[in-house]
């Protein structure tokens, strides 16, 4: 697992892009810590309150046991579908929601809908989406408005409490976790241009990409870095060009840039 901190003081290229490799599970996850603001701080709170949404009874029971087995977490309730999950959140206001990506009533993308609703109504609540799909489109939809407090894990990889626990802690603290198999799927769909592109980013472009990963607009990035919005737009276009994303729609290339940023932090 790779850790990386982005602080308001402004990260250097080494801080933002290189990351540091540390011990972790064999199937280690891409981990991006997206800022100092977090609802949960293990030094101040005894437990992270978790809500779970999963329509498969056996999987719901299994994940419930994984969560309950960790003394750092308190399972505040479970739900089998999206409406009951939203009702559970309103009633219990958990710190983190773990949700299946597909569940009733439509069995399409309820987990993504839940994450979007939480972003709008309870932005302090972290979300861990569990999925069986490596297609980057789902992860892109999850990160559409920023990666802070969001995780996308493959169900087959959540076999141990350690990996799930790491993801819960990360999103509770405002971080982001993306399963490396999803990132690999995106990378395979691109040419080798992204690798050279990441290495060619200037320190300022690296800072802007870090801000972009937090879901900030160009105007917000300009204010954060004390530069003009026009300068941010110029650097952003340069980032897209270097990563081979110039022909993509603006939203898609912003999210893909964030995913590639995560892949680079993974040492990919």
């Amino acid at each position: 697992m790779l850790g990386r901190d982005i602080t308001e003081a402004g990260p250097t290229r080494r801080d933002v892009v290189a990351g540091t490799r540390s011990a972790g599970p064999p199937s280690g996850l891409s981990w991006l810590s997206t800022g100092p603001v977090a609802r949960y701080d293990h030094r101040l709170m005894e437990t992270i309150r978790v809500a779970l949404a999963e329509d498969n009874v056996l999987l719901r029971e299994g994940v419930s046991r994984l969560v309950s087995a960790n003394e750092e977490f308190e399972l505040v309730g479970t739900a089998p579908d999206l409406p009951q999950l939203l009702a559970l959140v309103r009633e219990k206001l958990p710190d983190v929601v773990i949700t299946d990506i597909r569940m009733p009533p439509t069995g399409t993308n309820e987990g993504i809908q839940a994450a979007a609703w939480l972003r709008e109504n309870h932005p302090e609540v972290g979300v861990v989406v569990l999925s069986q799909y490596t297609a980057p489109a789902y992860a892109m939809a999850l990160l559409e408005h920023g990666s802070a407090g969001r995780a996308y894990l493959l169900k087959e990889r959540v076999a141990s409490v350690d990996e799930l626990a790491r993801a819960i802690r990360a999103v509770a603290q405002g971080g982001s976790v993306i399963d490396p198999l999803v990132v690999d799927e995106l990378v395979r769909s691109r040419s080798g241009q992204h690798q050279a592109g990441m290495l060619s980013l200037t320190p300022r472009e690296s800072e802007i990409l870090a801000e972009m990963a937090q879901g900030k607009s160009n105007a917000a990035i300009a204010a954060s870095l004390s530069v003009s919005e026009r300068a941010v737009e110029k650097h952003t276009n340069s980032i897209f060009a270097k990563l081979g994303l110039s022909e993509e729609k603006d939203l898609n290339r912003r999210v893909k840039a964030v995913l590639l940023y995560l892949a680079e932090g993974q040492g990919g």
Side-chain angles (χ1 to χ4, degrees):
M1 185 180 66
L2 300 169
R4 182 171 39 200
D5 293 323
I6 301 173
T7 66
E8 293 183 346
T12 64
R13 173 168 174 74
R14 176 172 298 180
D15 294 330
V16 173
V17 178
T20 55
R21 188 176 299 274
S22 60
S27 58
L29 304 171
S30 296
W31 182 3
L32 171 64
S33 175
T34 54
V37 178
R39 176 176 180 176
Y40 167 73
D41 186 330
H42 66 87
R43 295 166 299 182
L44 301 177
M45 297 176 61
E46 293 184 358
T47 60
I48 303 176
R49 304 175 71 253
V50 178
L52 169 64
E54 170 61 60
D55 64 310
N56 183 293
V57 176
L58 292 178
L59 186 56
R60 185 167 68 241
E61 180 65 20
V63 176
S64 295
R65 291 184 178 183
L66 287 176
V67 173
S68 299
N70 192 311
E71 62 182 11
E72 296 181 55
F73 309 141
E74 175 191 353
L75 185 65
V76 299
T78 64
D81 56 39
L82 178 60
Q84 292 187 56
L85 170 60
L86 300 187
L88 177 61
V89 170
R90 292 188 188 100
E91 178 183 358
K92 300 294 187 178
L93 194 59
D95 301 303
V96 172
V97 167
I98 303 173
T99 177
D100 189 6
I101 194 168
R102 291 185 175 184
M103 56 186 172
T106 69
T108 54
N109 67 341
E110 278 74 12
I112 302 299
Q113 293 179 44
W117 181 85
L118 285 164
R119 178 83 72 189
E120 179 70 21
N121 296 279
H122 300 284
E124 74 280 7
V125 178
V127 180
V128 177
V129 172
L130 301 181
S131 174
Q132 64 189 60
Y133 306 101
T134 59
Y138 285 109
M140 289 172 61
L142 178 66
L143 303 180
E144 180 177 345
H145 297 294
S147 60
R150 295 294 178 265
Y152 187 92
L153 304 184
L154 297 181
K155 291 182 178 180
E156 64 187 58
R157 314 265 277 188
V158 189
S160 75
V161 67
D162 291 338
E163 290 198 4
L164 182 59
R166 284 188 175 96
I168 293 171
R169 293 189 200 101
V171 300
Q173 298 180 47
S176 177
V177 182
I178 305 297
D179 194 291
L181 290 183
V182 177
V183 178
D184 288 346
E185 187 70 22
L186 172 64
V187 170
R188 281 195 296 270
S189 70
R190 309 296 308 171
S191 67
Q193 182 175 358
H194 79 276
Q195 295 176 325
M198 278 291 184
L199 293 174
S200 68
L201 295 182
T202 65
R204 176 60 79 185
E205 289 168 349
S206 296
E207 290 179 326
I208 288 175
L209 183 52
E211 296 284 324
M212 194 185 302
Q214 298 181 52
K216 293 182 179 181
S217 65
N218 285 354
I221 294 173
S224 177
L225 299 180
S226 299
V227 297
S228 69
E229 190 171 348
R230 183 175 181 181
V232 172
E233 182 177 352
K234 178 180 177 181
H235 286 304
T236 299
N237 288 333
S238 177
I239 292 169
F240 294 152
K242 290 179 179 180
L243 297 182
L245 302 175
S246 297
E247 302 305 316
E248 303 279 354
K249 293 182 179 179
D250 187 63
L251 175 60
N252 285 351
R253 60 184 181 177
R254 289 181 81 91
V255 179
K256 284 188 176 182
V258 171
L259 284 174
L260 293 173
Y261 172 81
L262 287 167
E264 180 70 12
Q266 184 187 326

